[in-house]
Amino acid sequence: MKKYLTILLGVLFGISSCQKKEVNNFEDRKQAEKEANKKVIKALIDGGDKLIVPREVFHWIYFKNENDKNNYLKEVIKKGFVLVSSNTIKDKFPYQLQIKRIDKVDENSVNEYAIYLWEKAIEYNGDYDGWETSIEKS
């Protein structure tokens, strides 16, 4: 029987929006995102995942206004991402999106789509808060 374990980037490794904002330089922030991705991938491997099975990968992005959220969503849908949920929460970035796509979870693949989503979030005045997936034991 397959065991599934959700890996939450922010919860497991304490990579919160506040911590990300402490890094001012764009390239340093980008490198911090890549390092956070490595940690999640390591947790998948430690859980017995061989990283060969493509699977649903979920992403959370937050925005200050609804217009930016909607424009971001229109942009990423063009890349095959699908809306999971859209909520309003009490926060500095109150407009929350959860999106998903079937993807590989090797380091190169994750960095390609996670950095894309992160950079688009910046472009639309948003905050990319990370990704999660299940451990797939094949």
Side-chain angles (χ1 to χ4, degrees):
M1 182 168 133
K2 289 186 179 181
K3 287 190 173 187
Y4 297 93
L5 175 65
T6 299
I7 306 297
L8 289 171
L9 180 63
V11 174
L12 281 180
F13 302 107
I15 307 297
S16 71
S17 301
C18 296
Q19 288 171 319
K20 288 182 202 173
K21 287 180 180 79
E22 290 173 6
V23 182
N24 295 322
N25 178 288
F26 180 82
E27 288 303 318
D28 289 345
R29 289 174 58 201
K30 188 174 183 176
Q31 189 58 39
E33 289 293 330
K34 289 179 179 181
E35 290 300 318
N37 291 340
K38 275 186 188 181
K39 289 180 181 178
V40 176
I41 292 165
K42 183 182 180 326
L44 291 171
I45 292 168
D46 290 349
D49 200 314
K50 304 278 189 244
L51 308 180
I52 23 181
V53 178
R55 79 282 313 262
E56 288 184 324
V57 180
F58 296 86
H59 307 268
W60 280 263
I61 311 94
Y62 298 85
F63 300 88
K64 289 185 179 180
N65 68 64
E66 193 167 17
N67 190 48
D68 286 339
K69 176 196 77 168
N70 292 336
N71 289 332
Y72 178 90
L73 183 58
K74 286 177 192 174
E75 185 81 23
V76 301
I77 282 175
K78 294 175 190 174
K79 295 285 188 179
F81 291 93
V82 177
L83 175 65
V84 175
S85 67
S86 177
N87 299 301
T88 305
I89 60 172
K90 291 184 179 184
D91 191 78
K92 182 175 151 184
F93 288 79
Y95 297 93
Q96 176 194 58
L97 275 182
Q98 182 186 25
I99 59 175
K100 70 177 182 177
R101 189 172 77 175
I102 303 288
D103 274 304
K104 296 178 181 178
V105 293
D106 61 274
E107 187 175 345
N108 289 334
S109 298
V110 169
N111 283 335
E112 182 178 326
Y113 57 76
I115 296 299
Y116 164 77
L117 293 170
W118 173 76
E119 288 176 338
K120 284 294 171 192
I122 292 169
E123 183 179 328
Y124 288 96
N125 305 305
D127 184 33
Y128 178 76
D129 199 34
W131 59 279
E132 76 173 28
T133 194
S134 57
I135 289 178
E136 299 289 335
K137 294 183 179 182
S138 46

